Amino acid sequence: MAARTRTYAVVGLTLAAAVTAGCSGSGSHADSGGPASGSATVSGRNQPAPTESNPPGDIPDNQVYVAYRPTGGSYTGFTLKVPEGWARTSQGDTTAFTDKLNTVKITAASASGAPTSGSVTEAIVPQLRSQVQKFSSPKVSEVTRHAGRVVLLTYQGDSAKDPVTGKVVRDAFERYAFYRAGHEVDLTLSGPVKADNVDPWRIVSDSFTWR
């Protein structure tokens, strides 16, 4: 009888230990978050990396440029590079290339003399002030490009309202006045003020050549 009692006691202790171990193991899994953590890790690995994008108005570094040679208008004696694939519109002696928020505009005209910092300040700045919404920050200087010395006017202004979204963008403008033998070609480059288009605009303005 005593031996049978001892046997029952041993069996009872063994079962109790097994139950305690099972509960302890189960609690360990819950605390470590094993399955949930593993699932989240796998899910994270399957998600694609976020796509890198340029700020609005930035012209891509891999933009291709093609030669533009006017075939109509009052004067065709020049050439320059413009971004490939941009939409082209022409009206009289003005041709524009536009893509999203950026524009390259070329205007040819007869001129009695070469533009100067003074003539641009006295004549062109007031003219633009009346034409460009919220015109501001005009600065006139002379710079050197491949074609020689040119007068550069930089300023800011609001873009035209988008016909679809109704949004207006604050633009920065660079206006280069090239002159030779009674002919002036004005090259205006524009895009959002926060866009980093220093290199693309230099490529376009430096590509201007008389022919």
Side-chain angles (χ1 to χ4, degrees):
M1 184 70 178
R4 186 177 302 174
T5 300
R6 284 196 300 271
T7 299
Y8 290 158
V10 171
V11 171
L13 288 173
T14 301
L15 289 173
V19 170
T20 301
C23 292
S24 175
S26 174
S28 174
H29 270 301
D31 292 342
S32 66
S37 176
S39 174
T41 302
V42 171
S43 175
R45 284 199 302 265
N46 289 338
Q47 293 178 354
T51 301
E52 294 292 330
S53 60
N54 293 321
D58 271 19
I59 299 172
D61 293 337
N62 61 352
Q63 174 67 56
V64 176
Y65 298 83
V66 295
Y68 164 67
R69 298 179 178 86
T71 56
S74 61
Y75 183 66
T76 60
F78 64 92
T79 182
L80 75 159
K81 292 181 179 178
V82 297
E84 184 180 44
W86 287 22
R88 174 179 170 177
T89 57
S90 296
Q91 183 175 4
D93 288 318
T94 297
T95 298
F97 296 87
T98 306
D99 180 69
K100 298 175 183 176
L101 302 176
N102 296 296
T103 299
V104 174
K105 186 172 73 171
I106 308 116
T107 301
S110 298
S112 58
T116 64
S117 296
S119 67
V120 170
T121 300
E122 294 173 8
I124 304 303
V125 169
Q127 178 183 339
L128 291 173
R129 194 181 299 277
S130 66
Q131 295 174 346
V132 179
Q133 289 292 323
K134 296 184 180 178
F135 177 90
S136 69
S137 307
K139 180 180 178 182
V140 182
S141 62
E142 291 189 8
V143 298
T144 301
R145 288 297 184 263
H146 180 74
R149 200 78 171 159
V150 295
V151 179
L152 168 63
L153 167 62
T154 60
Y155 58 96
Q156 293 184 9
D158 283 359
S159 69
K161 183 180 293 186
D162 187 288
V164 177
T165 65
K167 293 182 178 180
V168 173
V169 177
R170 188 65 177 168
D171 281 341
F173 296 80
E174 295 181 10
R175 180 186 182 276
Y176 297 84
F178 297 88
Y179 175 85
R180 189 179 74 165
H183 297 285
E184 181 176 335
V185 177
D186 298 324
L187 168 66
T188 303
L189 312 171
S190 62
V193 292
K194 293 185 178 181
D196 182 11
N197 288 332
V198 174
D199 290 340
W201 289 161
R202 182 59 188 250
I203 290 172
V204 174
S205 61
D206 209 32
S207 71
F208 184 93
T209 304
W210 300 104
R211 62 186 181 91

